Amino acid sequence: MLRTLVMDVVCLLIPVDLLGLLKWRSNTSLLQQNLRQLMKVDGGEVVKFLQDTLDALFNIMMENSDSDTFDTLVFDALVFIIGLIADRKFQHFNPVLETYIRKHFSATLAYTKLTKVLKNYVENAEKLTEQLLMAMKALEYIFKFIVRSRVLFNQ
Ligand SMILES: *[C@@H]1O[C@H](CO)[C@@H](O)[C@H](O)[C@H]1NC(C)=O
């Protein structure tokens, strides 16, 4: 009872565009829309819910592991989040992201999907200048996710 009430109150504090993504399971036909909307949410709100947002992204990726429909969007959302944290304003969230990758992240198959999208961006470098540029800036963390995922897979 109390837990439900607390969750309801917490939900009231989350911007509606972010809430859509965090509660993506409640209507999966809105998934693409939810992923696109994340990239319009105020950065301060996203970093406040960093762990939940990253969990949602990797759950979406893993629960659709037999298709690559959402892979590019999830990858772009990840690049967006890493981009936020690279911003001086949110730099103090760097350790939160590091800890997430080391302790919390558990998507063993993410490395294949992240690598595939990255490869695709590189191969289409002339067409996708903007996305590739953003991905390059996020590369350090993208690689940390890829390496961690691969290590988890091997275990
Ligand atoms: C899910 O979203 C679609 C598109 O907006 C809508 O047509 C459908 O009724 C929604 N389903 C539920 C269960 O809310």
Side-chain angles (χ1 to χ4, degrees):
M1 248 328 243
L2 183 63
R3 197 181 136 71
T4 320
L5 185 65
V6 170
M7 286 316 288
D8 286 346
V9 173
V10 168
C11 286
L12 288 176
L13 303 172
I14 305 176
V16 68
D17 283 345
L18 184 57
L19 192 61
L21 180 71
L22 297 183
K23 293 179 151 278
W24 64 277
R25 278 196 188 86
S26 60
N27 190 344
T28 48
S29 50
L30 298 172
L31 207 41
Q32 301 210 5
Q33 190 183 320
N34 289 336
L35 283 165
R36 286 205 183 88
Q37 272 166 350
L38 168 71
M39 294 177 253
K40 295 185 195 131
V41 178
D42 176 63
E45 298 295 332
V46 177
V47 292
K48 252 192 262 175
F49 298 98
L50 190 61
Q51 180 169 328
D52 295 310
T53 308
L54 290 170
D55 281 348
L57 291 181
F58 288 110
N59 285 335
I60 291 168
M61 195 175 240
M62 291 306 101
E63 287 174 37
N64 297 282
S65 58
D66 51 344
S67 97
D68 49 16
T69 318
F70 303 109
D71 292 355
T72 304
L73 272 173
V74 168
F75 184 94
D76 288 346
L78 196 58
V79 166
F80 166 76
I81 291 172
I82 295 168
L84 284 179
I85 288 164
D87 189 322
R88 187 184 291 270
K89 199 161 57 163
F90 301 123
Q91 257 178 6
H92 52 290
F93 281 94
N94 262 297
V96 181
L97 185 56
E98 297 277 357
T99 306
Y100 180 88
I101 296 172
R102 232 173 331 108
K103 299 247 166 87
H104 198 80
F105 177 61
S106 64
T108 48
L109 293 174
Y111 74 94
T112 49
K113 286 175 172 272
L114 294 174
T115 309
K116 207 158 145 199
V117 178
L118 188 60
K119 183 167 174 278
N120 184 44
Y121 273 4
V122 173
E123 281 172 359
N124 294 285
E126 315 92 69
K127 279 179 269 167
L128 299 162
T129 334
E130 185 65 24
Q131 282 109 310
L132 184 64
L133 209 61
M134 282 183 64
M136 277 166 67
K137 287 183 187 159
L139 222 47
E140 183 189 344
Y141 278 111
I142 295 288
F143 269 109
K144 283 183 179 179
F145 276 109
I146 291 174
V147 169
R148 182 71 189 139
S149 169
R150 178 68 211 191
V151 167
L152 290 169
F153 176 81
N154 281 348
Q155 282 168 1

